[in-house]
Amino acid sequence: MAQVTLKGNPVQVNGQLPQAGSKAPAFSLVAGNLSDVTLASFAGKRKVLNIFPSVDTPTCATSVRKFNAQANEVANTVVLCISADLPFAQARFCGAEGLENVQNLSTLRGAEFIENYGVAIADGPLKGLTARAVVVLDENDNVLHSELVKEIAEEPNYDAALAVLK
């Protein structure tokens, strides 16, 4: 179990984030059309998993915007924005913002993802949502970088996440 904070208050996070050098756990999440999408759906591509509680919070929205802006600069890479938001809300946000370089995935039917990626917030007001984290995978689903953001209200280290892909 890891500990992060939410506005300075301790929050427990169940599990352990996959670490650099390990193989990423398989997953199945929900796409915008309500279909199930697996890690294997992105075979042969490098993947940035931008994991966060909800696109309806300012920091989460900023992370989606920033990864969207930087996604075009990295070859053979897909940015997967993963949250508990329903696919409808994710699509509405990206449509309103004009964001086209990220793919939203919902944990709607993804309890296994939350557990296997060690991002389940176990207590506090965000219990049941995912902690803020970034996991970067190569074409073969090997973990190149991972960061569990220590303060949920802060942004991830974009430079460190993208540096392993350049």
Side-chain angles (χ1 to χ4, degrees), residues 28-31 33-37 87 106-114:
S28 179
L29 295 167
V30 181
N33 64 2
L34 299 179
S35 67
D36 292 326
V37 175
S106 175
T107 59
L108 173 64
R109 294 187 296 270
E112 187 175 88
F113 171 86
I114 296 168

Coordinates of all heavy atoms in Angstrom, one line a residue, residues 28-31 33-37 87 106-114:
S28 N -8.3 -4.5 -19.5 CA -9.5 -4.2 -20.4 C -10.2 -3.0 -19.8 O -10.6 -3.0 -18.6 CB -10.4 -5.4 -20.4 OG -11.6 -5.2 -21.2
L29 N -10.4 -2.0 -20.6 CA -11.1 -0.8 -20.2 C -12.2 -0.4 -21.2 O -12.3 -1.1 -22.2 CB -10.1 0.4 -20.1 CG -9.0 0.2 -19.0 CD1 -7.9 1.2 -19.1 CD2 -9.6 0.3 -17.6
V30 N -12.9 0.6 -21.0 CA -14.1 0.9 -21.8 C -13.8 2.2 -22.7 O -13.4 3.2 -22.1 CB -15.3 1.2 -20.9 CG1 -16.5 1.5 -21.8 CG2 -15.6 0.0 -20.1
A31 N -13.9 2.0 -24.0 CA -13.7 3.1 -24.9 C -14.9 4.0 -25.0 O -16.0 3.7 -24.5 CB -13.3 2.5 -26.3
N33 N -17.1 4.3 -27.4 CA -18.2 3.7 -28.0 C -18.8 2.5 -27.1 O -19.6 1.7 -27.5 CB -17.9 3.2 -29.4 CG -16.9 2.1 -29.4 OD1 -16.3 1.7 -28.3 ND2 -16.5 1.6 -30.6
L34 N -18.3 2.5 -25.8 CA -18.7 1.5 -24.8 C -18.1 0.1 -25.1 O -18.5 -0.9 -24.4 CB -20.2 1.4 -24.6 CG -20.8 2.8 -24.1 CD1 -22.3 2.6 -24.0 CD2 -20.2 3.2 -22.8
S35 N -17.2 0.0 -26.1 CA -16.6 -1.3 -26.3 C -15.5 -1.5 -25.3 O -14.9 -0.6 -24.7 CB -16.1 -1.4 -27.7 OG -15.0 -0.5 -27.9
D36 N -15.1 -2.8 -25.1 CA -14.0 -3.1 -24.3 C -12.7 -3.0 -25.1 O -12.6 -3.5 -26.2 CB -14.1 -4.5 -23.7 CG -15.3 -4.6 -22.7 OD1 -15.5 -3.6 -22.0 OD2 -15.9 -5.7 -22.6
V37 N -11.7 -2.3 -24.6 CA -10.4 -2.2 -25.2 C -9.4 -2.7 -24.3 O -9.4 -2.5 -23.1 CB -10.2 -0.7 -25.5 CG1 -8.8 -0.5 -26.1 CG2 -11.2 -0.1 -26.4
P87 N -17.6 7.2 -20.4 CA -17.1 7.6 -21.7 C -17.8 8.8 -22.3 O -17.2 9.6 -23.0 CB -17.4 6.3 -22.6 CG -17.3 5.2 -21.6 CD -17.9 5.8 -20.3
S106 N -12.2 4.4 -19.9 CA -12.9 4.5 -18.6 C -12.7 3.2 -17.8 O -12.7 2.1 -18.4 CB -14.4 4.7 -18.8 OG -15.1 4.6 -17.6
T107 N -12.6 3.4 -16.5 CA -12.5 2.2 -15.6 C -13.9 1.7 -15.2 O -14.0 0.9 -14.3 CB -11.7 2.6 -14.3 OG1 -12.4 3.6 -13.7 CG2 -10.3 3.0 -14.6
L108 N -14.9 2.1 -16.0 CA -16.3 1.7 -15.8 C -16.4 0.2 -15.5 O -17.0 -0.2 -14.5 CB -17.1 2.1 -17.0 CG -18.6 1.6 -17.0 CD1 -19.4 2.2 -15.9 CD2 -19.2 1.9 -18.4
R109 N -15.7 -0.6 -16.3 CA -15.7 -2.1 -16.1 C -14.2 -2.5 -15.9 O -13.8 -3.6 -16.2 CB -16.3 -2.8 -17.3 CG -17.8 -2.6 -17.5 CD -18.4 -3.4 -18.6 NE -17.9 -3.2 -19.9 CZ -18.4 -2.3 -20.8 NH1 -19.4 -1.5 -20.4 NH2 -17.9 -2.1 -22.0
G110 N -13.4 -1.6 -15.3 CA -12.0 -1.9 -15.2 C -11.4 -2.1 -13.8 O -10.3 -1.6 -13.5
A111 N -12.2 -2.7 -12.9 CA -11.7 -2.9 -11.5 C -10.4 -3.7 -11.5 O -9.5 -3.3 -10.7 CB -12.8 -3.7 -10.7
E112 N -10.2 -4.6 -12.4 CA -8.9 -5.3 -12.5 C -7.8 -4.4 -12.8 O -6.7 -4.5 -12.3 CB -9.0 -6.4 -13.5 CG -7.9 -7.4 -13.5 CD -8.1 -8.5 -14.5 OE1 -7.8 -8.4 -15.7 OE2 -8.6 -9.6 -14.0
F113 N -8.0 -3.4 -13.7 CA -6.9 -2.5 -14.0 C -6.6 -1.7 -12.8 O -5.4 -1.5 -12.5 CB -7.4 -1.5 -15.1 CG -6.5 -0.3 -15.3 CD1 -5.4 -0.5 -16.2 CD2 -6.6 0.9 -14.7 CE1 -4.5 0.6 -16.4 CE2 -5.7 1.9 -14.8 CZ -4.7 1.8 -15.7
I114 N -7.5 -1.2 -12.1 CA -7.3 -0.3 -10.9 C -6.4 -1.1 -9.9 O -5.5 -0.6 -9.3 CB -8.6 0.1 -10.3 CG1 -9.3 1.1 -11.3 CG2 -8.4 0.8 -8.9 CD1 -10.8 1.4 -10.9

